[in-house]
Amino acid sequence: MALTLTILCYIAALYCFASAAPYDGHGPTSSQNDADNLNLVVEKDGSYKVNVRGQTWLTSAPTFFNVDGQPHEEGGTLALVVKDSVQGSDHFGRYTLYNFQYQAASSRINTNIRVYEDRPFVYFSQNYETGAKGTQAANVEHTISGFPSFRVQEVTTQKEPLGYLAYGGIHTGDTGKQLGIFSPSGLNITDGLDFGPIALFDGSGDALVISPANNFMSVSNWVIKDGDTNTLSYGIMGGVHTVPVQFGVEFLVYYCSLGVNQAFEGWGGHLRDRYGRTDKFVNDDLSINYLGYWTDNGAYYYYLTEPQKTYQQTILDVKANADQLDIPYKYVQYDSWWYYRGNTNGVKTWVARPDIFPDGFVYLYKNLGLPTVAHNRYWANDTTYAKANGGQYNFILESSTGRAVPNDQKFWDDLLRNASSWGLITYEQDWLNAEFDGVIEPLHSDVTLGDTWLTQMASAAAKNKMTIQYCMAGSRHIMHALQTPVVTQARASMDYHPGRDQWKIGVSSIFSYAMRIAPFKDNFWSTSDQPGNKYKQTEPSPETQVIVSVLSTGPVGPSDRIGYSNVSLIMRCCNAEGLILKPSKPATAIDDQIYQTALGSNYNGANGEVWTTYSAVGGLRFGIIFVPNITGQYSITPTKAGFNMTKNQLAVFEAHDTRTMAKFSEEQPLHISGCVPSTPCIYHATPLLTQYPPVFLLGELTKVVPVSPQRVTSIDVTGNEVKLYLQGVPNEVAHFTFSVDSNMVTISCQFGSRSAVLDLNAKSCQ
Ligand SMILES: *[C@@H]1O[C@H](CO)[C@@H](O)[C@H](O)[C@H]1NC(C)=O
Ligand SMILES: *[C@@H]1O[C@H](CO)[C@@H](O)[C@H](O)[C@H]1NC(C)=O
Ligand SMILES: *[C@@H]1O[C@H](CO)[C@@H](O)[C@H](O)[C@H]1NC(C)=O
Ligand SMILES: *[C@@H]1O[C@H](CO)[C@@H](O)[C@H](O)[C@H]1NC(C)=O
Ligand SMILES: *[C@@H]1O[C@H](CO)[C@@H](O)[C@H](O)[C@H]1NC(C)=O
Ligand SMILES: *[C@@H]1O[C@H](CO)[C@@H](O)[C@H](O)[C@H]1NC(C)=O
């Protein structure tokens, strides 16, 4: 049945984007610019190499499996019994499959490498045909298997030494992320349970992304340090002692020639396609689309009320004050201060305490008239919901840690259905890492329990028409959300505290966007000084806070003390009823920032934070360059900003000063310097609308995003006539600025209904 491997060495050319011409098996079929190659070389002995443009970027290290209490490694006690290669095809096209069958003690385990003919990726799979016992590793942070495994060796391409960006830790790979040179001494990543996707790049545009591709909750990577022969291995997490029959795990190596942002975008696009993750829940999520009031860590009212008032009264007063000031909060987020806690501070009963809300959560919700976003944490082993404690539901309790994990669909269904009576629209699951890392034995040893936990939670949210925000999520949770599109948002950095630089979400937002999860910066203060605050701090740049929040595309959540809101600053986010006027994608750190951070003096990029995004309106792209901090000078071109997808000539201007308007092209870059977090720089790039006279739309300059799809639904350019189709709120006034033959023209629109048409030539808006 099995074919013998007759081809000693096979090279497949793969392209960043599928080429239209049929693949002939002999190299590039077209001269298009994505003819850059990803080559996979499989040798007769089963070793393999990943080549980019003919140069080896990754060289395999021996495959290993722990079975029957012992590690078994190629070249040692791991016996390769069969190898073959077969052709096949699936949803993603034709592939060659290289199969390796191993005998590891009493277990039969297969691996394979799936090389697609016209796709820029390779899959590596492990399949436990007979299952395995006695697999547990010495440390839960290790892996019980290694395939693929790569040697960590310094690689110098024609351009640069290879650099890496490795996500890791919590908050969408932010807290443990590392950048550096891919070499035995330079590779210093967060591996084990808190590992994340890794990108390799040389600064020229070529980039690889390496990650799991299934069973996200039960796999890890592991860097084995052994002098100069360090290896990077992928496999099942170290705590697993028994692998079920036919259990399999897959890993993906994805290639792109268009830079690290595009590599993650292509990688995420492939995985979203594979898992059918829809954007519907993100697009419809009220807490992503509208301004809300927040009370989590960093907020003024985090474990604090107004003097002599209950939380119930404090929240009602926040709303009354906001109504007076016309701050259109559309929901309130209630953090961990309102429910019952048990052992190790875990949640005991997720209902409101009478000392917090004396008249109950339902009363507060009805009197406030705003929907609820509510926090939850890890479960305590004395939770009243568990059957063992007299409750109705199945939980797994762990006495050594005092924690618990629910294992009952009905529990989640009931929990969230009950919460709908007090207006829950978004369930915030915080402490995801503490639940996963904290319920040690069950979640670390079972290959399916982590998946069951998150899938049941998501299924209950979907049934109750709610969405989920992840907080303190490891990369494993974030990637698991490929399967649970109701997870619409996730924190992308540490908790806010006035003065902390947790606004730096430009790098984590790349990962978040690849998964189409809206990144959340966390709450913020809109004025610097808020007397009586528990942090004894001031906020140095409320403006940076607002800009980052809006450009994230995630929630925008002020958390001010009553009487300490900067209303005009907050309202730069939104229209008059709190609809966030946002760009079409999260602002992300440009490639030149990432290359510079990773490659250091080997590269000449951006020293600091340079993030870009754009609004796509009517086939045009309005670019935004946000520079909250930079050292020295940096010259950015439309290509480096990711804006050169439109054919129109571009102009660029500094947001606070339209007189700075200038041409923006590859030949006429924008020179950036002197931007610091207290006075961040923000620039807008805008396409030429008509040639005679030259007309540019600068937009609604009082907003962070002056041209957003939420405000401008389409732009009609006929001959030299320009019309904007606008959306707003009855009685709202929006001022739109244009440059007409280098003169600034501002037209004011007062909305009579929810829409208006601005006619530039008639200077009217109706
Ligand atoms: C690795 O990174 C950690 C976290 O940033 C740091 O504390 C440690 O010093 C680094 N180790 C090396 C060898 O660079
Ligand atoms: C819960 O955990 C505590 C330790 O925090 C332990 O003493 C107790 O026995 C556990 N109870 C149950 C029901 O597992
Ligand atoms: C939901 O509410 C019902 C009725 O009050 C209660 O019996 C049940 O325990 C609640 N379940 C959860 C998980 O909240
Ligand atoms: C509100 O914010 C704007 C922009 O940062 C600032 O110019 C203004 O002084 C602030 N107003 C108050 C009252 O703090
Ligand atoms: C701004 O960048 C400089 C130079 O890279 C750095 O020293 C400084 O800490 C940064 N400031 C903030 C608030 O990130
Ligand atoms: C964008 O820039 C890339 C790289 O310089 C170039 O190959 C491509 O042709 C440009 N696209 C447009 C539309 O200008």
Side-chain angles (χ1 to χ4, degrees):
M1 177 180 118
L3 303 169
T4 335
L5 187 66
T6 49
I7 306 165
L8 298 189
C9 173
Y10 178 93
I11 301 176
L14 301 166
Y15 307 99
C16 195
F17 299 111
S19 66
Y23 176 64
D24 65 7
H26 298 288
T29 54
S30 72
S31 58
Q32 64 194 82
N33 62 358
D34 57 5
D36 314 316
N37 299 322
L38 170 66
N39 301 324
L40 190 91
V41 181
V42 179
E43 304 286 359
K44 192 180 180 182
D45 64 0
S47 65
Y48 46 90
K49 286 178 181 154
V50 178
N51 288 358
V52 172
R53 294 182 199 271
Q55 172 149 34
T56 300
W57 279 30
L58 292 166
T59 304
S60 65
T63 300
F64 70 87
F65 298 100
N66 292 357
V67 179
D68 298 339
Q70 295 291 328
H72 301 277
E73 189 175 280
E74 254 179 343
T77 53
L78 185 66
L80 179 60
V81 287
V82 179
K83 53 185 191 271
D84 66 21
S85 77
V86 293
Q87 307 292 315
S89 73
D90 63 15
H91 176 63
F92 300 111
R94 289 193 293 151
Y95 57 74
T96 301
L97 193 67
Y98 298 93
N99 291 304
F100 306 91
Q101 292 188 20
Y102 293 99
Q103 191 67 36
S106 64
S107 289
R108 174 64 59 97
I109 305 173
N110 304 331
T111 66
N112 66 58
I113 306 176
R114 199 153 79 244
V115 182
Y116 287 90
E117 287 185 358
D118 54 7
R119 294 286 190 144
F121 49 76
V122 176
Y123 270 83
F124 293 83
S125 308
Q126 307 174 14
N127 298 301
Y128 282 72
E129 193 147 307
T130 59
K133 293 197 170 62
T135 58
Q136 194 163 8
N139 188 320
V140 67
E141 301 289 345
H142 298 172
T143 58
I144 67 163
S145 55
F147 181 82
S149 283
F150 299 114
R151 296 201 181 287
V152 180
Q153 298 171 326
E154 182 151 345
V155 177
T156 300
T157 73
Q158 279 136 346
K159 284 289 206 175
E160 306 288 347
L162 220 52
Y164 69 89
L165 159 60
Y167 288 104
I170 56 169
H171 295 312
T172 319
D174 184 64
T175 62
K177 68 178 183 296
Q178 298 278 3
L179 297 97
I181 307 279
F182 188 74
S183 69
S185 61
L187 188 76
N188 178 22
I189 66 169
T190 305
D191 63 354
L193 294 177
D194 285 340
F195 85 114
I198 297 179
L200 301 180
F201 40 76
D202 68 355
S204 73
D206 288 331
L208 294 178
V209 178
I210 313 168
S211 81
N214 75 354
N215 286 305
F216 302 104
M217 291 302 290
S218 56
V219 295
S220 295
N221 71 12
W222 177 25
V223 177
I224 307 164
K225 296 205 167 101
D226 183 14
D228 283 349
T229 59
N230 294 356
T231 58
L232 168 62
S233 291
Y234 286 83
I236 297 173
M237 60 188 172
V240 171
H241 46 65
T242 307
V243 182
V245 173
Q246 298 290 354
F247 188 75
V249 293
E250 295 182 347
F251 303 93
L252 174 63
V253 175
Y254 188 96
Y255 165 75
C256 184
S257 66
L258 301 175
V260 64
N261 270 272
Q262 285 302 314
F264 276 108
E265 178 57 1
W267 163 81
H270 165 61
L271 288 169
R272 296 195 317 271
D273 179 16
R274 173 171 168 179
Y275 287 96
R277 187 179 153 101
T278 162
D279 293 345
K280 178 169 105 61
F281 297 96
V282 174
N283 294 340
D284 295 348
D285 190 337
L286 184 142
S287 64
I288 290 178
N289 289 323
Y290 286 90
L291 183 67
Y293 184 79
W294 282 71
T295 68
D296 62 329
N297 191 8
Y300 190 86
Y301 299 118
Y302 176 67
Y303 291 88
L304 187 71
T305 61
E306 277 297 301
Q308 275 80 56
K309 286 184 182 162
T310 61
Y311 252 115
Q312 175 179 308
Q313 194 56 49
T314 300
I315 298 294
L316 288 166
D317 290 355
V318 166
K319 172 69 161 56
N321 182 249
D323 287 348
Q324 270 174 7
L325 298 171
D326 286 332
I327 310 177
Y329 295 128
K330 280 287 181 287
Y331 66 91
V332 174
Q333 183 266 0
Y334 301 88
D335 211 67
S336 56
W337 39 261
W338 57 272
Y339 51 76
Y340 292 92
R341 306 238 209 116
N343 276 338
T344 70
N345 257 329
V347 61
K348 185 171 190 167
T349 311
W350 201 58
V351 300
R353 284 160 33 196
D355 57 321
I356 304 285
F357 300 151
D359 297 302
F361 215 150
V362 175
Y363 168 93
L364 175 60
Y365 162 57
K366 296 213 160 127
N367 279 271
L368 204 62
L370 293 180
T372 302
V373 173
H375 177 279
N376 202 0
R377 56 172 58 212
Y378 51 86
W379 299 95
N381 74 340
D382 57 350
T383 174
T384 56
Y385 299 114
K387 281 182 181 164
N389 301 326
Q392 303 166 251
Y393 308 102
N394 296 318
F395 271 71
I396 297 168
L397 308 180
E398 191 178 59
S399 49
S400 58
T401 56
R403 304 229 174 129
V405 63
N407 187 12
D408 193 335
Q409 183 64 56
K410 188 167 190 314
F411 166 70
W412 287 107
D413 292 351
D414 290 358
L415 185 81
L416 296 185
R417 197 189 54 241
N418 288 356
S420 59
S421 68
W422 36 271
L424 190 70
I425 55 161
T426 300
Y427 174 75
E428 179 193 340
Q429 183 63 65
D430 195 2
W431 296 92
L432 281 156
N433 69 327
E435 180 80 59
F436 187 76
D437 300 353
V439 186
I440 296 164
E441 169 56 19
L443 280 168
H444 292 174
S445 62
D446 188 311
V447 292
T448 56
L449 185 60
D451 170 65
T452 303
W453 164 48
L454 296 180
T455 303
Q456 289 180 348
M457 183 194 304
S459 160
K463 284 177 203 164
N464 286 288
K465 305 215 175 338
M466 293 168 185
T467 59
I468 296 175
Q469 178 182 112
Y470 276 177
C471 188
M472 299 174 79
S475 299
R476 65 182 61 245
H477 307 99
I478 295 291
M479 289 195 71
H480 185 273
L482 284 162
Q483 299 162 244
T484 57
V486 290
V487 176
T488 55
Q489 43 185 300
R491 281 277 303 285
S493 62
M494 283 301 290
D495 288 359
Y496 174 70
H497 271 201
R500 262 190 200 168
D501 65 357
Q502 61 79 241
W503 50 264
K504 290 184 184 172
I505 61 169
V507 176
S508 54
S509 291
I510 297 172
F511 178 19
S512 201
Y513 181 56
M515 301 287 101
R516 289 299 188 271
I517 292 174
F520 180 33
K521 186 216 77 79
D522 204 4
N523 74 91
F524 63 90
W525 293 2
S526 71
T527 58
S528 295
D529 230 334
Q530 310 218 358
N533 78 76
K534 59 193 294 174
Y535 315 101
K536 304 192 174 21
Q537 294 289 333
T538 55
E539 168 50 54
S541 183
E543 190 186 6
T544 293
Q545 298 294 331
V546 172
I547 295 171
V548 171
S549 298
V550 174
L551 297 187
S552 75
T553 74
V556 176
S559 58
D560 296 313
R561 184 176 187 182
I562 295 167
Y564 291 89
S565 287
N566 183 334
V567 183
S568 66
L569 179 61
I570 291 174
M571 291 313 292
R572 288 182 61 197
C573 73
C574 298
N575 78 4
E577 61 183 3
L579 178 71
I580 303 166
L581 304 175
K582 62 175 84 184
S584 298
K585 67 171 277 284
T588 56
I590 60 170
D591 289 353
D592 254 6
Q593 171 185 332
I594 291 165
Y595 298 157
Q596 182 69 62
T597 315
L599 302 170
S601 59
N602 298 294
Y603 193 78
N604 184 19
N607 245 314
E609 304 281 333
V610 181
W611 311 350
T612 63
T613 180
Y614 59 82
S615 293
V617 176
L620 297 169
R621 283 188 179 193
F622 294 83
I624 300 176
I625 301 166
F626 176 55
V627 188
N629 192 23
I630 196 151
T631 306
Q633 201 195 64
Y634 176 63
S635 296
I636 192 167
T637 61
T639 297
K640 286 182 180 249
F643 297 159
N644 78 332
M645 306 308 278
T646 160
K647 291 186 298 293
N648 299 40
Q649 186 186 318
L650 292 175
V652 69
F653 63 98
E654 203 277 311
H656 294 300
D657 188 356
T658 57
R659 289 168 309 179
T660 58
M661 189 142 160
K663 282 188 177 164
F664 187 39
S665 67
E666 300 306 305
E667 297 73 35
Q668 290 148 301
L670 171 70
H671 302 292
I672 302 171
S673 63
C675 312
V676 292
S678 53
T679 52
C681 304
I682 181 163
Y683 306 91
H684 298 291
T686 180
L688 183 70
L689 297 182
T690 69
Q691 193 99 39
Y692 305 108
V695 170
F696 293 93
L697 168 60
L698 283 75
E700 207 179 348
L701 297 172
T702 54
K703 304 300 181 189
V704 171
V705 179
V707 181
S708 67
Q710 289 78 16
R711 178 70 97 192
V712 186
T713 54
S714 66
I715 299 174
D716 183 10
V717 180
T718 311
N720 63 357
E721 304 241 312
V722 176
K723 284 185 183 158
L724 305 187
Y725 292 82
L726 305 175
Q727 282 182 338
V729 182
N731 297 320
E732 180 177 15
V733 180
H735 309 283
F736 275 84
T737 299
F738 295 82
S739 163
V740 180
D741 209 3
S742 300
N743 299 310
M744 295 299 158
V745 175
T746 298
I747 298 174
S748 299
C749 286
Q750 173 144 24
F751 288 88
S753 63
R754 293 204 156 257
S755 59
V757 181
L758 184 156
D759 184 329
L760 174 63
N761 306 65
K763 293 198 164 41
S764 71
C765 190
Q766 286 162 350

